[in-house]
Every structure is written in structure tokens, then in C-alpha cells.
Amino acid sequence: KLKTFAKVVLGKMLCSESKQGYTYEYYLKSKNIQWLSVDTTSVEKMYFSDSEKNLYKIQKDDLLVSEGGEVGKTCIWQDELTECYLQNSVHKVTFDRNYNPRYFLYLFFVYGKVGGFDSSVSRVSIAHLTWDILVNIKFIVPPLDEQRQIAGFLDSKCEKIDKAIALIQREIESIKEYKTSLIDNAVRGKINV
């Protein structure tokens, strides 16, 4: 079970009021969590006390797991912002040092894509991957060396795929620009037929 080798914290309820000793800090919510990566293009702020900051601060290599919406959607924090915290639509999973967070990033991805998280939650209304459910999900945990090998292999393969996707996206943009230019020149009569 996840609780036997990781600490799981559900983020803070929204707090829009300034209180004595509270500071206004960036936080992530479910919409910021994408599969395998975090989206920091639109990050909001709310108030946190010092004790809340200690509890909800995201550290490098923490997994961030969506509690609602697409339950179980997971990414890994790589210090995209200097300091950031969590709202209660996101779980923070911090692993003991004998476990490889990147291995679990890929494992959570697989669980999510094959319905492992979905089958754990109640569907009476909107699905929620509660703290109690998440910490009791069982995971396959090979020895640390094997975790590292699996994560390293997947990091390498995914990097190649990401580069290929980026290249194709640049080619698509170039073709769109060419199309726009062609239409513009044809309308202006600058093309000899």
C-alpha cells in the first residue's frame, strides 16, 4: 500500500482572507496537473500560515496527483517555481529515499490509463480520489535498482518521442504559415497561374 512507503498530503482548502501572520503564496490546483508534467502557465495565489506552508509546500520530486476531475492524473514537481503550495484538489506524494519517484510517476500513469484509479473511486456523483483511498492502493514495488532502471529506460524513450513530437509540431506550424502566405498571395493576385 502507498502509505507504507510514502507520505501523502492533500492540499489546503481555499483561503481568500488575509489573516495575521499569513502570507500570499502561489498554489497549484487540479487544472495545473497534467499527465507526466505540471502546467505553471496560470498559477493563482492564496493565504497560508507558517505551519500550513510547512505542510503544503511542494518539494523537488514530489508527485502531484489530481484528487478530482480526471482522478489520479499525475505529474512530478521539478522546482518549476521557487516556492509553491497545494490546494485541496491535489495530493502531494513524497517518497522515502529508498524509492524512485520517477518510477512511480510512470507507474501512476499506467494505473491512470488502465483505469486503476478510476475503479477505486465512487461514481455516485463527481469522482474523488480521497486521501483514504489513495494511501490504501497497492502498487508493484521492485527493488530500488530495478525502479531506477525502469525509470531511466522510460525517460530515454519518452525524451526521443517528445523530440519527434516537437519537430512535427514545428513542421505543422511552417506548413500553416505557408498556407496562409499562399492564400494571401493568391487573393492579392501575386501568383501567376
Side-chain angles (χ1 to χ4, degrees):
K1 293 182 178 182
L2 184 61
K3 66 184 174 184
T4 63
F5 56 88
K7 180 181 176 188
V8 180
V9 173
L10 180 62
K12 175 188 166 139
M13 294 276 293
L14 282 175
C15 176
S16 55
E17 294 179 18
S18 176
K19 298 178 185 177
Q20 182 70 32
Y22 279 50
T23 55
Y24 205 47
E25 307 291 347
Y26 287 112
Y27 72 94
L28 298 180
K29 54 187 171 183
S30 190
K31 79 170 195 170
N32 299 109
I33 310 306
Q34 306 300 312
W35 280 114
L36 305 179
S37 65
V38 63
D39 177 5
T40 57
T41 55
S42 175
V43 180
E44 297 175 25
K45 286 185 164 186
M46 73 168 152
Y47 291 96
F48 290 85
S49 69
D50 286 343
S51 62
E52 289 170 338
K53 289 197 304 192
N54 286 333
L55 181 61
Y56 301 120
K57 184 175 183 181
I58 310 168
Q59 303 289 341
K60 188 175 189 319
D61 291 332
D62 282 343
L63 292 192
L64 307 176
V65 183
S66 179
E67 185 269 346
E70 189 177 351
V71 295
K73 190 167 41 171
T74 305
C75 64
I76 192 165
W77 184 251
Q78 296 298 299
D79 288 339
E80 286 82 355
L81 300 172
T82 306
E83 195 170 319
C84 197
Y85 302 90
L86 292 175
Q87 188 237 345
N88 70 337
S89 61
V90 180
H91 297 281
K92 173 180 72 161
V93 181
T94 306
F95 292 93
D96 296 344
R97 63 184 178 149
N98 292 324
Y99 298 88
N100 185 294
R102 293 201 67 78
Y103 164 77
F104 285 96
L105 171 68
Y106 293 122
L107 187 58
F108 278 44
F109 177 82
V110 171
Y111 272 47
K113 293 300 180 178
V114 300
F117 292 119
D118 226 24
S119 65
S120 300
V121 299
S122 168
R123 286 268 169 204
V124 174
S125 60
I126 299 170
H128 290 279
L129 182 60
T130 64
W131 180 89
D132 217 27
I133 292 170
L134 180 58
V135 298
N136 285 296
I137 293 177
K138 293 179 181 179
F139 291 93
I140 300 165
V141 185
L144 180 58
D145 188 50
E146 195 173 330
Q147 293 174 38
R148 288 182 181 133
Q149 288 176 24
I150 291 167
F153 172 81
L154 290 171
D155 283 345
S156 171
K157 294 296 182 184
C158 288
E159 183 181 354
K160 289 177 184 174
I161 292 168
D162 290 342
K163 284 180 181 177
I165 289 169
L167 177 64
I168 290 167
Q169 286 174 334
R170 284 193 301 272
E171 290 174 355
I172 289 169
E173 287 307 311
S174 294
I175 291 168
K176 285 180 179 177
E177 288 171 15
Y178 173 70
K179 176 183 173 183
T180 301
S181 174
L182 180 66
I183 291 170
D184 183 59
N185 287 333
V187 169
R188 293 172 185 251
K190 294 182 177 180
I191 297 177
N192 293 329
V193 184

